[in-house]
Amino acid sequence: MTQARYWIAGCAISLLCAGTLSMASAADPALEGAVRKAVSQQAQPWLTDPAVVAAVKSQNSKNAGIAQAKIDEMDNKWKAAAKAGGANPAFDEVSANAVSKQLKQVVAGSNGRIVEILLMDDHGLNVGQTAGTSDFWQGDEPKWQKIFTGNADLYMTDPEKDDKTGAMLTEASVPVMDPAGKQKIGVAMIVLDTAKLGQ
């Protein structure tokens, strides 16, 4: 789990449309608009990319009917390895998969606007990621719940200063849709540098 900074989800495929807003605190309308625009411009192309959609659907199929006890077991192993700071085979597998490599290219080509991406399936389990996370399961957190099981298409928390870079970062959580069936299949979290949203 990355540090909570700022969450926003746009409307499924058309991320600029007006929709239900859910947030931890009152959002700055100007910032909300800037994030909405940035998410639409920076995320819409890859959110609907067949390879991204296929990766989420494949993991959904693989984990269909998975028991919560199994999710907890996988999550606990991931968290223990992350806390110990040693080898984490599960993280290495996700971080090195094809969709993670694709998302890392998205981050690299964003001119610094996108800092990180985390792709989650219909259980809240990590499908692809561009940076480390302290846990494997996000299904118990608002970034997944408000978008996948809630009725919000926009979830926001306040921006926070990154300890390493000093940048004010926002996190945007958006639904991943299956263009064919028009149904929600997962959630993508996108971390944005607020200073670069208008560039």
Side-chain angles (χ1 to χ4, degrees):
M1 174 177 56
T2 55
Q3 291 181 340
R5 289 176 281 240
Y6 190 95
W7 300 94
I8 179 173
C11 297
I13 302 302
S14 179
L15 296 171
L16 285 177
C17 64
T20 304
L21 174 66
S22 178
M23 69 197 91
S25 61
D28 176 348
L31 181 58
E32 176 192 331
V35 172
R36 213 179 254 283
K37 181 177 180 181
V39 170
S40 179
Q41 293 176 342
Q42 298 292 320
Q44 188 168 354
W46 60 263
L47 275 173
T48 57
D49 185 284
V52 172
V53 172
V56 177
K57 291 178 70 176
S58 175
Q59 184 157 305
N60 288 348
S61 178
K62 175 184 176 182
N63 291 329
I66 189 172
Q68 185 60 46
K70 180 62 176 178
I71 291 176
D72 292 340
E73 177 186 343
M74 294 188 296
D75 190 43
N76 288 335
K77 286 182 179 179
W78 181 296
K79 288 189 288 190
K83 185 177 181 180
N88 188 344
F91 166 76
D92 293 341
E93 182 179 352
V94 173
S95 181
N97 68 27
V99 75
S100 290
K101 291 178 181 178
Q102 181 176 349
L103 297 179
K104 288 173 184 177
Q105 291 178 348
V106 171
V107 172
S110 70
N111 295 319
R113 293 186 187 90
I114 298 178
V115 177
E116 178 186 345
I117 299 171
L118 175 62
L119 187 66
M120 297 157 270
D121 67 12
D122 62 1
H123 284 88
L125 296 168
N126 301 354
V127 177
Q129 59 195 89
T130 64
T133 57
S134 63
D135 54 358
F136 180 49
W137 181 51
Q138 319 302 326
D140 59 343
E141 299 176 27
K143 66 173 170 276
W144 184 86
Q145 292 177 340
K146 295 291 186 179
I147 301 303
F148 198 85
T149 59
N151 61 0
D153 67 350
L154 175 64
Y155 179 59
M156 303 170 58
T157 64
D158 293 329
E160 285 188 5
K161 186 176 182 178
D162 184 79
D163 293 336
K164 295 182 179 179
T165 66
M168 292 299 293
L169 303 180
T170 72
E171 294 176 340
S173 193
V174 301
V176 179
M177 306 293 293
D178 179 2
K182 306 297 183 184
Q183 74 265 28
K184 193 166 19 180
I185 58 173
V187 177
M189 182 274 287
I190 305 147
V191 180
L192 299 165
D193 186 335
T194 61
K196 299 181 179 180
L197 292 182
Q199 298 179 5

